[in-house]
Amino acid sequence: MDSREEAIYNRSLAAMALVGFLSFLLLSAYRKPLDFLPFYGAIAFLTVVFVGYFFTGWILANSDKFLLLLSSFLAQLGLIMLCRINPELFKRQVIFFAIGVAFFILVSFFTKYLLRLELAPFFYWVATAALLILPLLFGVEKGGAKNWLVFDGFTFQPSELAKITFAFYLAGALKNGRITSLPRMATEILAVVGLLALSKDLGGAMLFYFTALIVIFVATSRADILAVGGGLSAILGVLGYYLFDHVKVRIEAWLNPWQDVPGRGYQIAQSLFAIAEGGYFGTGLGLGRPDFIPAVATDFIFSAFAEEFGFLGAAAVVLMYFLLVYRGIRIALRLQKNFDILLAVGHTVMFGMQIFTIIGGVIKLIPVTGVTLPFMSYGGSSMVMSFASLGVLNGLWQRALEDEDDDEA
Amino acid sequence: MYELLAQVMKFLLIGLIYYFLYNFLKLMVLDLYEERRSSDETDYCLRCEDGREFPIRRVTTIGRAKDSDIVIDDPYLSSKHAMIYRRGKRLIIQDLKSTNGTYINGRRIKKPVALKEKDVITMGSRKFTFLRREARGLERGSDL
């Protein structure tokens, strides 16, 4: 690798370690009596980052360090907030992070070598649908959406894994640059979206729907499908508003949270108060009151972060997510085969949509829907599967470089 | 005591976060710079039978349409006839479903094909030779 790039990576790694040490030392002093748990957690976290960073560099010569470092930094910021909100969740999240990095490496490896065998898109569709049906049959309800599977003592959200299989399905179905059968494709996509809506995971339904739309547009460059799809989404939205009570509640809370602050509008009102409280530089770590916001550790972690790190910190986070999406698109541009390109685009769009949906939700740009903020929110499935998606992107990047080398030879 | 520490620390942390961000933005700029330097111009050109030469860029479209990169006014060409684009180090030609087809060394192409030096591309009634641009100076010298 370029020595200049290497130097930049090393500097950012140092900055990251410094942010970690400083904030976790501060958090150690936050609770009385002095408790070094946050600090040990930080050491464990940074060890995983360093080991992951050098190990990927060692086994995959051209591993994309950009993705791993940026996502680890975001995970670190999320961990700082989690540790401040709830140390119990923090401990578990560090473990999830370690598993996530392991998945990143594994999946990069698999994507690099095994993806050459392309299964039929229908297979991926069946896998996606199965993953979404399972929680409907055996799942438990958590936070209003029935999308959790419980094995003894350990819960798993299959819709997170479905995101990956769905991206594979889209890439496989569209790899010839055109839709072989529009009615069939529309039915398959709407079935998946319908299953998500049945489990009351509306954020997920929206995410899958728009990802499918954008990937179809990228593959076929047909503006008519995009327009029809957009119109259809508006119709579905209006239908949802009248058919489902919880959609109505969400939308009313979005249009005017001040109407019913102690009730429906409570969460979003608290989130807005928290963000307002932060100002430019934030209240300072540990000095805000993010615990007033319901679900602050999962969906609303961004408002907690905005409160304590201020507008500047929150803007930095948004920019980092932009960079992540930028990198995904760059990988897509360097690839050669349609399947690979669409796969990279699918994963990147899924990320971008998810980030937009939840950050837009907590700042009241769009109605709140319960999706997680990748890397920052508390949640094992989300963390591990986000890293797995990055692993796919990294594996595709390896192949892009490999193919270019072949061309030179 | 803790409050004071946290107040001081918040500026430090924001500074460090932005330093990290700055480094990554710099990486992005490096990426883009490299992309631009290696992309826009390629070392190849198409030479028409009448001696005109068209440089090939990263994506070059050929056709009758006025917004093509290489505009050729020939009734046998489609308005968007073919496209040459770079993939990695190769240049690939793709027929854009033209009516009369695109031929490489006399063979009609259906799928995108990688170009080799001195390939003869036939579109409509026109013939083009795919050449390296460094070779251009030499040939012109020999013409004189």
Side-chain angles (χ1 to χ4, degrees):
Chain A
M1 190 171 48
D2 198 347
S3 62
R4 210 155 126 211
E5 263 177 48
E6 184 99 48
I8 295 178
Y9 281 123
N10 289 342
R11 260 180 276 151
S12 14
L13 208 56
M16 178 169 163
L18 209 54
V19 170
F21 279 128
L22 285 179
S23 42
F24 284 110
L25 271 178
L26 191 63
L27 282 172
S28 301
Y30 174 60
R31 274 168 229 274
K32 294 195 170 54
L34 213 58
D35 175 14
F36 279 104
L37 172 93
F39 190 64
Y40 298 142
I43 291 177
F45 167 80
L46 288 169
T47 313
V48 172
V49 173
F50 275 72
V51 169
Y53 178 77
F54 289 109
F55 187 67
T56 43
W58 176 61
I59 71 170
L60 299 163
N62 292 313
S63 178
D64 196 347
K65 293 172 175 166
F66 192 101
L67 288 177
L68 184 64
L69 269 189
L70 201 56
S71 51
S72 304
F73 192 73
L74 286 164
Q76 186 183 41
L77 296 179
L79 281 172
I80 291 170
M81 285 325 293
L82 269 181
C83 179
R84 181 244 171 284
I85 296 163
N86 185 341
E88 268 317 299
L89 298 183
F90 165 73
K91 271 194 274 183
R92 302 184 57 174
Q93 185 79 343
V94 172
I95 298 168
F96 291 142
F97 173 77
I99 300 173
V101 172
F103 260 75
F104 173 78
I105 298 169
L106 266 178
V107 174
S108 317
F109 219 71
F110 274 114
T111 315
K112 184 179 177 190
Y113 293 109
L114 287 184
L115 209 67
R116 314 228 177 240
L117 38 120
E118 285 165 20
L119 297 166
F122 187 69
F123 170 80
Y124 289 117
W125 182 79
V126 169
T128 310
L131 281 168
L132 295 175
I133 288 174
L134 276 177
L136 277 179
L137 299 178
F138 311 106
V140 288
E141 195 165 319
K142 247 194 200 181
K146 194 177 179 188
N147 52 8
W148 292 85
L149 278 184
V150 181
F151 305 105
D152 36 19
F154 145 81
T155 55
F156 174 67
Q157 200 172 5
S159 67
E160 294 288 339
L161 182 57
K163 281 176 192 162
I164 294 179
T165 52
F166 190 63
F168 271 93
Y169 158 70
L170 287 174
L174 293 161
K175 68 178 168 203
N176 297 322
R178 64 196 154 77
I179 299 175
T180 29
S181 148
L182 186 60
R184 183 175 162 193
M185 181 118 193
T187 325
E188 284 173 344
I189 289 170
L190 286 177
V192 166
V193 173
L195 281 174
L196 280 162
L198 270 182
S199 66
K200 294 192 182 170
D201 183 2
L202 293 164
M206 201 171 117
L207 214 63
F208 278 63
Y209 185 79
F210 283 108
T211 305
L213 214 56
I214 293 175
V215 173
I216 289 173
F217 180 68
V218 168
T220 60
S221 33
R222 276 177 61 180
D224 52 340
I225 294 184
L226 197 66
V228 170
L232 189 64
S233 77
I235 295 168
L236 288 177
V238 173
L239 265 179
Y241 178 80
Y242 287 110
L243 285 181
F244 300 111
D245 253 358
H246 56 285
V247 181
K248 212 167 186 169
V249 171
R250 292 272 173 93
I251 290 184
E252 273 163 10
W254 167 60
L255 289 173
N256 191 0
W258 314 114
Q259 204 175 21
D260 185 12
V261 173
R264 292 169 184 174
Y266 186 71
Q267 194 173 30
I268 185 76
Q270 289 302 333
S271 161
L272 291 175
F273 281 139
I275 295 169
E277 186 61 34
Y280 278 107
F281 285 94
T283 57
L285 190 55
L287 301 181
R289 294 306 303 272
D291 30 14
F292 282 141
I293 315 168
V296 66
T298 51
D299 297 358
F300 279 71
I301 195 141
F302 186 76
S303 352
F305 187 81
E307 181 173 11
E308 303 209 329
F309 285 81
F311 169 75
L312 289 172
V317 166
V318 174
L319 281 174
M320 281 180 218
Y321 280 118
F322 267 128
L323 282 174
L324 210 59
V325 171
Y326 149 76
R327 193 67 170 193
I329 304 241
R330 175 173 181 250
I331 291 174
L333 285 174
R334 289 281 280 270
L335 285 163
Q336 314 210 351
K337 272 165 60 192
N338 269 347
F339 179 78
D340 297 355
I341 295 172
L342 292 174
L343 195 55
V345 169
H347 281 288
T348 309
V349 169
M350 196 67 106
F351 260 120
M353 288 300 305
Q354 192 171 348
I355 293 154
F356 171 75
T357 316
I358 188 61
I359 293 187
V362 303
I363 64 174
K364 203 173 88 75
L365 181 68
I366 55 172
V368 180
T369 45
V371 296
T372 56
L373 188 57
F375 306 115
M376 280 182 81
S377 291
Y378 170 72
S381 319
S382 160
M383 181 70 114
V384 171
M385 288 307 149
S386 302
F387 269 109
S389 297
L390 283 192
V392 173
L393 284 176
N394 188 25
L396 289 172
W397 174 241
Q398 308 281 308
R399 286 174 64 181
L401 292 176
E402 219 171 53
D403 289 349
E404 278 172 25
D405 287 349
D406 286 352
D407 290 348
E408 265 174 286
Chain B
M1 182 59 198
Y2 175 79
E3 272 182 38
L4 185 70
L5 215 60
Q7 290 288 352
V8 175
M9 212 65 116
K10 80 181 180 194
F11 294 107
L12 203 60
L13 286 178
I14 296 260
L16 278 170
I17 290 174
Y18 272 88
Y19 177 68
F20 182 88
L21 189 62
Y22 163 76
N23 274 318
F24 272 78
L25 285 171
K26 207 154 85 180
L27 280 173
M28 183 178 96
V29 171
L30 274 180
D31 273 0
L32 294 177
Y33 185 70
E34 183 193 340
E35 197 79 10
R36 193 181 57 194
R37 197 183 44 198
S38 65
S39 71
D40 225 32
E41 291 279 303
T42 61
D43 298 336
Y44 293 91
C45 67
L46 284 188
R47 173 197 276 236
C48 197
E49 281 169 308
D50 57 18
R52 278 186 301 165
E53 277 174 7
F54 303 99
I56 291 173
R57 283 179 294 190
R58 186 147 75 126
V59 177
T60 314
T61 51
I62 304 163
R64 255 184 319 117
K66 289 279 179 291
D67 59 344
S68 306
D69 294 308
I70 301 179
V71 182
I72 291 156
D73 202 17
D74 181 319
Y76 292 105
L77 254 64
S78 299
S79 57
K80 292 211 185 317
H81 196 100
M83 175 168 78
I84 300 177
Y85 56 91
R86 211 187 61 166
R87 272 289 157 85
K89 302 280 187 243
R90 285 186 298 186
L91 283 166
I92 298 188
I93 186 163
Q94 184 179 5
D95 183 61
L96 299 174
K97 298 187 182 123
S98 60
T99 323
N100 293 318
T102 304
Y103 296 79
I104 303 287
N105 302 328
R107 190 177 300 154
R108 183 164 185 169
I109 57 169
K110 291 256 161 54
K111 282 182 182 163
V113 173
L115 284 167
K116 294 184 299 293
E117 227 184 309
K118 295 192 180 136
D119 272 350
V120 177
I121 303 164
T122 315
M123 284 175 279
S125 58
R126 306 286 181 111
K127 278 203 172 90
F128 298 89
T129 321
F130 179 71
L131 288 173
R132 221 183 159 79
R133 284 166 97 191
E134 289 145 1
R136 181 184 61 180
L138 282 174
E139 284 187 12
R140 201 172 265 168
S142 62
D143 282 350
L144 290 167

